[in-house]
Amino acid sequence: MGYFAEMKDSLKAFTPIERRNIVIYIIGIMIYKFGLEAFNGSIVALATNRYDFESIRDKTPSRTFERVGLLTGLNQAFQCVGSIMIAPLIKRFPTKNVLSGAIIVFGLFSAILLIVDAATGGTFVPAAYVKNHPKNDFSYYGRYNTDGMIPIYAICGIAYGMVELIRRIIPRDIVGGNVQKLRKMDSIVHIFYEITGTAGAFATALGLIPALGNNKAFLITPICFLLCAITWWFVSDLGFRREGNVLKSQPGYVKAMLGGFYLFGESVFVGAKILFSSRKFVWLIPGYAVALYAHRYLENSIAPAVARRYLGNSAWSQIMVGGSNFGELLGALAVFLTSNHIRTPLPWLRLDALFLLIVWYLPSWRPANMDVSQAWMVAGTFIPISFGWAAGDVSLAAYIQACLARLESKNKNVSALGAVMSFLYCFYIVTYAICGTFLGRYLDSVYNNTGGSKGGNIYEGLTYTAGVQFTVISALVIASTFVPKGAFSFNPKMLDNEELDADLSEDEQRVVDGVYAGREKGGDDGSERRDDNSDKMPAIVV
């Protein structure tokens, strides 16, 4: 009962108004996550089916997973653009208002494919298909070029990036700069976020897609996003106070956005210098960025490939993603409950690396086609893999923030933390965009060479794209955990003889906050004012 008592005491650390705002924020983020799972899961399954359908109809070699890799890779790249575009707005308006506006924009963008599908003759899945869907018959989809999904989904990535950036900033507005409160709030929010993510993935695979079809299953997404925006609107103004001449003293939006692109590029360059010039930080590249790539490849590439080529139903990839989300929930909860006993991310990273080897069963596995129980089995094997990744990711993110907040950046425009996180995120994005596309092309070639739609398989392909690739990543991650000083202990209490448990000073805290570095606390009412250097701060927090 000690852990639950500790959780109860954690809630008492917040004031009544903070608890009210946290509750409203959590309700909104749960609605958001449910709509997001329906959208992302449906789009990947829709693209998979459409490319296969076009290949069979036109009697051309399959290019399905090359295109799906490009589709998801560009979406993630454009999230960077969205986050840069939104940064100037949070200097001018209350964060919760910008967040509500951004989620409405995301909802409108998510409806584009619904409109295109309906305008080109798309319908809901025929009633006769609900119980017995003919194999490879998707004639009820809209008659548009499937490659058109790529730019549309990329545009959605811009809106996605807007929301994701603000979602990482608003906790500071809700509970202030207290490190302990921020950690507690982040943990609580993450747990509810993953609970809804698990439920949303399962609901999409088992309810929405079978009943509505891949092309219509995300009909609930704009509705969820609208409800989410309305919910978040009721969060308090969070002490925001606009100075009388603030808009006159700030540059125009376009100029600020262009400055954001410049600062983002500068952040990436500075981050690379910091990481590659020190033993203390270079291990973060495989430990964080490469591990993140492996997790995204598992959910966005391996799961759709197994669902479509092994089981014959692309919608079941969301069952596997649901298992992955549940593993993330358990991983985040494990870090929350053991934070006093496991003080560095190294034990979790080593566990993450070992669990990656679980994918080796896939190349030799021969499941029955169209058997949903097999999808649940894959979901079960994804739980430990994502458990290890989430535990490593949560603990490593906290370590990076605490460690780099104490490093004074020599560049006046960007903080060390913002620079390193920008580089790590760009490294992951570029890696996924390149590897996702080329490994997808390789899977397609294996499928075509073994018969294609007339009985082809991807067993050999998964030997290399899953087994060999994840073994190499596992070795890289484990090797990286022995790089920092003091890392040879199984559960080291600190790395590089640096104590990170103490709270930051006020100046250090502003560096951690990135875009908030230009804000200074005002009076006792919690309001804030901005200093003259606010436009020189990093434009993105990853």
Side-chain angles (χ1 to χ4, degrees):
M1 296 297 292
Y3 287 132
F4 294 101
E6 184 176 341
M7 293 177 68
K8 185 177 180 180
D9 291 339
S10 296
L11 296 177
K12 294 180 180 179
F14 301 107
T15 66
I17 188 64
E18 288 173 346
R19 286 197 291 268
R20 171 190 176 275
N21 287 329
I22 289 173
V23 169
I24 295 175
Y25 177 67
I26 288 176
I27 292 173
I29 206 167
M30 292 177 74
I31 300 173
Y32 164 73
K33 180 62 172 176
F34 193 90
L36 183 66
E37 284 295 335
F39 179 65
N40 286 336
S42 299
I43 293 298
V44 173
L46 175 64
T48 302
N49 287 346
R50 286 188 64 92
Y51 280 118
D52 266 2
F53 183 57
E54 287 184 357
S55 174
I56 295 171
R57 183 193 61 197
D58 301 337
K59 297 181 180 180
T60 58
S62 174
R63 56 174 186 168
T64 299
F65 292 105
E66 173 191 351
R67 295 298 182 175
V68 169
L70 180 63
L71 178 82
T72 54
L74 285 178
N75 175 266
Q76 293 172 17
F78 272 80
Q79 291 176 33
C80 292
V81 178
S83 62
I84 293 171
M85 290 176 64
I86 209 69
L89 293 176
I90 61 176
K91 296 181 180 180
R92 293 164 169 78
F93 305 101
T95 308
K96 64 104 176 183
N97 292 359
V98 181
L99 182 57
S100 294
I103 198 67
I104 290 176
V105 172
F106 195 0
L108 293 174
F109 281 5
S110 69
I112 293 176
L113 280 175
L114 292 170
I115 296 171
V116 171
D117 184 79
T120 55
T123 65
F124 290 99
V125 60
Y129 284 21
V130 174
K131 292 184 178 180
N132 184 21
H133 195 297
K135 185 177 180 180
N136 297 323
D137 184 358
F138 303 105
S139 55
Y140 56 90
Y141 288 173
R143 292 178 292 277
Y144 59 88
N145 190 323
T146 305
D147 282 341
M149 292 182 65
I150 296 176
I152 294 176
Y153 196 47
I155 293 173
C156 291
I158 295 176
Y160 190 4
M162 292 178 176
V163 176
E164 289 298 301
L165 170 69
I166 306 174
R167 192 170 68 80
R168 286 163 170 77
I169 291 174
I170 199 170
R172 162 64 188 259
D173 277 351
I174 292 177
V175 299
N178 185 292
V179 176
Q180 297 300 325
K181 284 186 177 182
L182 282 170
R183 287 175 180 170
K184 292 171 183 176
M185 178 180 172
D186 285 342
S187 298
I188 294 170
V189 170
H190 195 84
I191 289 170
F192 282 99
Y193 186 77
E194 293 302 340
I195 288 174
T196 312
T198 303
F202 289 151
T204 301
L206 302 177
L208 294 173
I209 292 179
L212 305 178
N214 302 101
N215 55 327
K216 303 292 186 182
F218 55 101
L219 187 64
I220 69 165
T221 298
I223 299 172
C224 286
F225 287 177
L226 176 60
L227 293 176
C228 176
I230 294 172
T231 301
W232 278 338
W233 189 264
F234 287 98
V235 174
S236 303
D237 281 342
L238 306 173
F240 179 86
R241 185 177 67 188
R242 180 185 293 128
E243 300 290 344
N245 296 322
V246 66
L247 293 180
K248 295 181 180 179
S249 64
Q250 296 291 333
Y253 178 76
V254 174
K255 181 179 179 181
M257 187 180 70
L258 292 176
F261 278 96
Y262 172 79
L263 288 176
F264 182 66
E266 188 174 15
S267 293
V268 173
F269 177 74
V270 172
K273 288 177 61 178
I274 293 173
L275 287 167
F276 286 105
S277 63
S278 172
R279 172 184 174 184
K280 181 178 178 180
F281 299 118
V282 69
W283 66 279
L284 297 176
I285 298 174
Y288 185 86
V290 176
L292 176 59
Y293 158 76
H295 178 71
R296 295 298 179 221
Y297 190 84
L298 179 76
E299 291 188 345
N300 297 336
S301 297
I302 293 179
V306 171
R308 181 62 183 163
R309 296 289 181 248
Y310 275 42
L311 306 180
N313 190 329
S314 60
W316 291 346
S317 66
Q318 280 301 99
I319 295 179
M320 304 171 196
V321 172
S324 177
N325 287 340
F326 184 66
E328 290 181 48
L329 166 64
L330 297 179
L333 185 61
V335 172
F336 179 76
L337 297 177
T338 62
S339 59
N340 292 331
H341 307 287
I342 303 178
R343 298 185 179 182
T344 72
L346 298 189
W348 296 119
L349 287 176
R350 290 162 183 166
L351 188 66
D352 175 26
L354 293 176
F355 282 162
L356 287 177
L357 302 179
I358 292 175
V359 299
W360 266 110
Y361 81 93
L362 289 172
S364 58
W365 183 47
R366 303 293 184 269
N369 195 258
M370 297 304 296
D371 183 355
V372 69
S373 65
Q374 303 300 301
W376 285 102
M377 193 200 87
V378 178
T381 62
F382 279 13
I383 290 175
I385 299 176
S386 293
F387 170 89
W389 173 79
D393 182 75
V394 170
S395 57
L396 188 56
Y399 170 82
I400 292 173
Q401 292 179 27
C403 186
L404 287 168
R406 292 160 169 81
L407 179 67
E408 182 68 25
S409 176
K410 297 180 181 179
N411 188 296
K412 65 179 182 179
N413 291 330
V414 296
S415 70
L417 174 62
V420 167
M421 292 304 291
S422 294
F423 176 83
L424 291 175
Y425 191 69
C426 279
F427 186 93
Y428 146 69
I429 287 292
V430 171
T431 302
Y432 188 91
I434 296 174
C435 293
T437 301
F438 283 98
L439 292 179
R441 179 183 296 178
Y442 169 67
L443 280 179
D444 290 334
S445 68
V446 172
Y447 177 69
N448 292 326
N449 292 337
T450 54
S453 60
K454 297 180 180 179
N457 63 74
I458 58 170
Y459 302 137
E460 180 183 353
L462 284 181
T463 298
Y464 294 98
T465 61
V468 173
Q469 180 184 204
F470 276 33
T471 299
V472 172
I473 293 174
S474 175
L476 283 174
V477 173
I478 288 180
S480 72
T481 64
F482 292 99
V483 172
K485 296 178 181 179
F488 282 87
S489 172
F490 175 76
N491 182 22
K493 297 186 181 299
M494 67 177 69
L495 299 177
D496 294 288
N497 297 318
E498 189 172 23
E499 177 60 55
L500 300 177
D501 288 341
D503 286 347
L504 299 176
S505 67
E506 185 177 351
D507 290 338
E508 288 174 331
Q509 185 61 46
R510 285 201 297 269
V511 174
V512 174
D513 295 327
V515 295
Y516 284 95
R519 298 183 179 182
E520 291 182 356
K521 289 189 176 181
D524 295 335
D525 60 351
S527 61
E528 294 178 339
R529 64 182 177 84
R530 311 174 195 278
D531 65 19
D532 294 334
N533 297 319
S534 59
D535 292 321
K536 296 181 180 180
M537 295 302 109
I540 181 172
V541 172
V542 181

